[in-house]
Amino acid sequence: MKFVGFKLIFIIALSLMGSVVNSEETSDFKLPTNFKPISYELNVTTYLEDKFVFEGVVGIRMTCVEATDTIVLHSTSLNIDTKSVVLANGGENVIPVSSVSFDPDKEFMHVKSTVNFKPCDEFVLTISFTGNLTDDLVGYYRSSYVDKESNQTRWLAITYFEPLGARRAFPCLDEPVYKAIFKIRLSHKKGLTSISNMKFMNQINCPSNSDYVVDEFEESPPMSTYLVVYMVSDFVYTEANSENDQVNYRIICKKDLANQTEFAINLGPKALKYHEEYFDEKFPLHKQDMAAIPDFSSRSMENWGLATFQESGLLMDLDVTVIDDVYEIAHLIIHELAHQWFGGIVTMKWWTGLWLNEGFAEYAGFRGVDFLFPESKYFQVENVKNFLLVLDQDSLQSAHPLAVAIGKPDEIAPISADPITFAKGPILLHMINTFLGENTFKQGVRNYIHKYKFSNAEQDDLWCSLTEEAHRQGTLDKNLTVKQIMDTWTLQTGYPVLNVIRDYSAGTVTLSQERYLSIKSNGTDNKTCWWIPITMTTSGDFNQTNPTFWLNCENNNLTTPLAKDNEWVIYNMQMTVLSRVFYDTRNWMGIICTLNDPTKYETIPTLNRVQLILDSLSFSQVGDLDYEITFQLLKYLKNEKEYTPWFAALSGLVMIDDLLKRTPNHAVFQKNMRDMLSCMYSKFRNMDEKVNGYENIQLQSLVISRACQYKTKDCIQRVLDLFRKWMKSSDPDNNNILPKELKETICIQAVQYGGEEEWNFLFERYQRSNLPIEKYYMIFALGYTSIESLLLRYLNWSLDESIIPREDAPLVFYSETFNEVGFLVAKEFLYCKIADIYEYYQRQGDSLGGYVNNIASQMKTKEELEELQSFITKSSSYFKEPDSVINQITETIKKNIEWTSKFYNKIVPY
C-alpha cells in the first residue's frame, strides 16, 4: 500500500489523521495457532449490473499444528450456509462437523469437528459463501465509470484486502503469517474479462450458465491473504515489449485512458530489472500487471502480480504532465514493484512490521527514481520532505514508536494511514546504509531476501542479516549489533536533539542528547536515549559520513577535544541521522557569518544548510534560540540558488504564517516575507519563460506560489492575466495555454484571488478533463476560493460522489482550511455536518481524525481549544479513537497557544 505521494501540503494535512493507540500485542484477536494453511482453491462468480453480488466456494487445505477439535478462521460480511461446510480428511473421508459458529467482534468463524485433530494431519475445509458487491471500497466491491462513447455506466468489481479485507471476500486465515498457495478461478459474464495475481491459463464455458465463462489462473507461490487480488471488468490491456521475456508486463485501464499508459508501460520493465539486480533475486511470477481503478481508497496497493492504483497514480499524458507528477508516478510504480520482493517474496509476520514493509518500499522507490532518472536528485528532495514531516510529527508527546504494538484489528488502519510509517522508515534505512556502507547494506538485504524467501520475517531478522554481513565485511564493530542500535530508533517514540556546547577557552566540546519535544515537558526525559552515529567537521569536509564514534546511554554527556581557533563546528554530515543539532550561541554566529558570505556559504553543503534552517526555526519556536539569530541566518537566502534550502525555510515559516492568520500582525509578516522573496521572485516573475531541471522547476513553482500567497501584487496580476487569457481561448479544454510546469500554482492562485467566474471556469474544466492528474490538482485548487458561498457549496458537493469521487473528497476539506475564509467555513461545516461526514466515510472504515486535526493545527487560543474539545466530546461516537485524537489535538493547540503567548508580539519586527 502507498499512502504518500501527494503534494507535501496535503501530506502534512493527512499526517494528522487519527493518532494511534499505544497497546501491547495480544493474542486475543489473533487466530489460534492450531492450524496453518497449505493451499486455497478459490472459485468466485461475479454478478454485475443486475444483482451486485458474488458467490463462491473455497477449499482450504491445512495441516494441524496443535491438537484440537476446532478450526478457527476469519469471515465477516459474508453469508454462509453452515450446513454447506464440509471437512474432509485428505480430501477423501468426510469428517462430521458438529457445529459452525461466528464471533462477530473478532470476525472469527469456528468449525467444530466430532473428532480431535492431531499434529501433522492434513484436512480440507470447504465452504460455500455469498456476499454483496458494495461500494465501500474494501473487500470485494463494485466500482463504475461512464463510458465516453456510449455515455452509459459501466460496472467493474475489484478487491482491496489490506489489511483485513480478504475475510470480507472469502473465509480464510486472514493474517500475514499464514502464507499459502492460491489456485483461483473466476466466473463472469461473457464480454467481460478477469485478472488475478497469476497468469491467465484458460477459459471454459460455465456449465451452469450459458451467459458466463470461467477463467482459470496459474497456481501461485505461497502468499498472504492481504496480497490476493482479482478483478472483473471491461478494461483494456496495454502490453509492454518486456526486456525480460519471462515476465509479461501490462497496464490495465478504461478504454478512454489507454492513451495515457505510455510512461508506465515503459518504466515498469526497467523498474523490475532494477529490483532484480538490487535484490539479486529474479521476479518469481510470469506476469506483472498494473491496473488503474476509478474508485480506490488508497493511492496504490502492491497485490502480488497485480498492483492497483488510483487513476491519477498510474496514468499520465506526457505532453501536459508536470515533471513533479512524472517523478511522483515513477516513484509510486517503483515503490509497488519493490513490494513484490519486500512484502511479496518476504512478508512481515504481523502488522507491527508494517513500517519495515512500507519503509523499505519507499526507500527503494526513492533510490529507484534516482537510478532510472539520474538527473532528478529525487532522493535528496524527497528525503528533505520526509525529514520535515517526521521532525514535526515525531516531536509531539502523543507520537508513537515506529514499530507499534498492534493489539486489536482496529489499531491497524490508523498505522497504515500514518505517514510516520512511510516517512520515518526510509530515513532510518538511509541512516543504516550510511553508517554500514552501501555494499554492506545491499548485501545484508540480499541475504535477508534469500534466507526468508517465500516465508515471513520481522525486523530483528533483517537486523541479524545486516549485522552478520557488517561483521563479515568489518564495517561494524564486532561488539555492536544493528539491533542494539536500531531498537533505540524503532521501539522508542520520537528522536533526539544532539546538544553541542563548546568550551572555547579549554578547547573542548561536550555532546549530550535528550528527546526533542515541541512542548517542553516538566522534567527532562532521561530515560530516552539513542545510539547516535557521530560525524562532524570544522574544515568543510562534509562527505565523511562514517561515524567516528557513537553517543549512547553509557557515554552521554561526552567531552572531547576541539581546537580553539575553529570558527564553527557542524555535526551530522549530510543530514543522515534523524536528529536536531543545537549549538551554543557563539557557534551559531560563526555559522551565520559563513552563510551570509556569498563566496563561502556553499562550503556548507546543501543538506547541512537545510538542517541548519530547520533546526534554527524549531529551536526558536520552542524558545531555546532567539528568533533574532534565526532570522539573521535566514538572511543568507538572498544568495541561495537551490530548491531544498528554500523549501525548508518556507515550509518552516508556514507555521508562523498560519498562526498569524486572522490577526492584525499578519499583514506585517506577509510584507516581511515579500521582502525575503523579492530577489528570488524577480528571477522567476516572467512565468512564460521556461525553466530547465527538476529542482529549478520545483523552485520556480515554490517561489511563485509563495510570492502570490504573501500578496505580491505583480505575482497576483500576472497569474490572473494568464488564467483569464486561458479563459478567453476558443477551446480551453484542448488548448491550455498556461505554462506547463506552473499550471497547478496558477490555478490555485487564480481561484484564490479571482471571483466566481474563475471558479466556475475551472470547475467546468475539471468536469470535462480526461486526465486524472489534472483533475486531481483542480479539485485541490477549487478549495482556495475566498467566496463563502462557493466554499460551502463545494463542501456539500464533496459528500456527493456523483460530483466528486469519494477517494478525492477529503481534498476539498483540506484545501479549504488553507485559506483564511475557508478555515472558518470548513470548521462550521465540520461542526454541523459531522454525522453526514461520518456516514459518508464510515463504510470504508476511515478515521475522521484528519478533518479535526487539520482544523486544530490552526487554532491558537484557549477558547478555541475548549470549543474543539467540547465538539469532540459531544461527537465522540463518530471517532474510532476519541481519547487518542483528543490527546493529539490538545497537544497541537497547546503548542500553538504557547507560541502565540510568547512570540506573537516579537515575531513581526524581523
Side-chain angles (χ1 to χ4, degrees), residues 610-816:
V610 167
Q611 174 146 43
L612 290 166
I613 291 168
L614 292 176
D615 287 351
S616 60
L617 281 166
S618 295
F619 291 135
S620 293
Q621 179 183 334
V622 298
D624 289 339
L625 186 67
D626 197 303
Y627 264 113
E628 183 176 358
I629 294 176
T630 294
F631 280 92
Q632 283 189 48
L633 186 150
L634 293 179
K635 285 180 181 178
Y636 103 89
L637 287 169
K638 64 180 179 290
N639 299 310
E640 181 60 73
K641 304 179 186 69
E642 294 201 48
Y643 168 66
T644 47
W646 272 105
F647 177 81
L650 293 175
S651 298
L653 290 164
V654 160
M655 186 277 296
I656 299 175
D657 182 55
D658 284 342
L659 294 180
L660 291 180
K661 285 177 181 175
R662 306 182 303 281
T663 73
N665 280 345
H666 192 217
V668 182
F669 177 77
Q670 288 190 317
K671 179 186 180 303
N672 293 342
M673 293 304 299
R674 290 196 295 272
D675 292 342
M676 176 185 285
L677 284 161
S678 61
C679 183
M680 185 59 73
Y681 172 69
S682 67
K683 297 179 181 179
F684 293 123
R685 65 191 295 267
N686 183 1
M687 299 177 194
D688 286 319
E689 188 174 313
K690 186 176 180 181
V691 173
N692 295 316
Y694 175 56
E695 287 193 278
N696 287 332
I697 290 169
Q698 293 275 73
L699 181 57
Q700 178 195 38
S701 179
L702 175 67
V703 169
I704 290 174
S705 173
R706 296 304 169 84
C708 284
Q709 179 184 331
Y710 296 125
K711 294 184 168 56
T712 302
K713 289 183 180 179
D714 179 74
C715 182
I716 294 170
Q717 191 58 54
R718 285 173 178 270
V719 161
L720 287 172
D721 288 347
L722 281 167
F723 192 84
R724 287 164 181 167
K725 185 179 178 182
W726 180 31
M727 290 173 65
K728 292 177 182 177
S729 62
S730 59
D731 185 8
D733 294 308
N734 296 309
N735 183 31
N736 188 334
I737 53 85
L738 299 181
K740 175 181 173 180
E741 297 295 341
L742 293 175
K743 285 188 297 185
E744 181 175 355
T745 295
I746 290 172
C747 286
I748 289 173
Q749 305 306 327
V751 166
Q752 182 173 0
Y753 296 110
E756 190 166 353
E757 188 178 357
E758 283 78 12
W759 196 95
N760 288 333
F761 172 81
L762 188 63
F763 186 73
E764 186 177 353
R765 305 285 75 72
Y766 162 74
Q767 289 181 305
R768 294 185 179 185
S769 176
N770 193 38
L771 301 171
I773 289 180
E774 197 168 72
K775 292 173 76 73
Y776 188 81
Y777 77 69
M778 287 179 181
I779 287 177
F780 194 74
L782 288 163
Y784 270 77
T785 180
S786 299
I787 301 172
E788 288 191 31
S789 59
L790 290 177
L791 289 165
L792 185 57
R793 183 175 74 185
Y794 196 35
L795 285 168
N796 281 308
W797 282 357
S798 73
L799 301 182
D800 184 346
E801 62 184 324
S802 68
I803 303 175
I804 305 294
R806 189 190 298 259
E807 72 268 18
D808 291 338
L811 270 175
V812 177
F813 186 86
Y814 296 138
S815 62
E816 289 202 13

Side-chain angles (χ1 to χ4, degrees), residues 241-424:
N241 294 320
S242 178
E243 297 177 14
N244 185 342
D245 294 333
Q246 294 180 337
V247 180
N248 186 26
Y249 181 84
R250 301 181 301 180
I251 304 296
I252 299 158
C253 64
K254 299 180 315 195
K255 181 180 179 181
D256 63 314
L257 296 180
N259 63 338
Q260 298 178 41
T261 61
E262 180 185 351
F263 180 78
I265 204 68
N266 289 330
L267 178 65
K270 296 175 185 175
L272 278 174
K273 183 179 180 182
Y274 166 75
H275 289 315
E276 285 185 330
E277 292 175 354
Y278 186 90
F279 294 116
D280 191 29
E281 180 70 47
K282 285 290 185 182
F283 183 64
L285 310 184
H286 292 140
K287 64 94 175 176
Q288 175 63 56
D289 292 331
M290 291 191 168
I293 311 301
D295 296 301
F296 204 61
S297 59
S298 175
R299 188 68 163 154
S300 55
M301 176 61 205
E302 68 267 20
N303 318 291
W304 214 7
L306 170 54
T308 42
F309 298 75
Q310 289 182 6
E311 291 174 337
S312 61
L314 181 65
L315 307 175
M316 73 171 85
D317 183 337
L318 284 169
D319 291 333
V320 299
T321 302
V322 300
I323 193 67
D324 191 27
D325 289 327
V326 170
Y327 289 144
E328 185 175 324
I329 288 180
H331 168 232
L332 205 56
I333 290 171
I334 298 167
H335 170 108
E336 299 307 346
L337 290 179
H339 270 309
Q340 308 303 303
W341 283 262
F342 223 94
I345 293 179
V346 179
T347 314
M348 60 195 164
K349 288 183 178 179
W350 179 238
W351 296 103
T352 299
L354 182 62
W355 83 265
L356 186 56
N357 195 35
E358 295 298 344
F360 199 96
E362 275 291 272
Y363 179 72
F366 296 151
R367 293 283 302 267
V369 174
D370 257 17
F371 180 82
L372 295 170
F373 303 90
E375 74 286 353
S376 69
K377 289 189 181 178
Y378 187 80
F379 181 88
Q380 176 174 297
V381 171
E382 293 305 309
N383 205 42
V384 168
K385 291 180 179 180
N386 276 344
F387 256 88
L388 181 68
L389 179 60
V390 175
L391 289 173
D392 180 43
Q393 294 303 304
D394 224 15
S395 67
L396 297 175
Q397 188 75 53
S398 56
H400 60 83
L402 186 55
V404 179
I406 301 296
K408 300 178 181 178
D410 61 8
E411 292 173 7
I412 301 171
I415 290 295
S416 64
D418 188 336
I420 293 294
T421 302
F422 295 86
K424 191 173 181 178

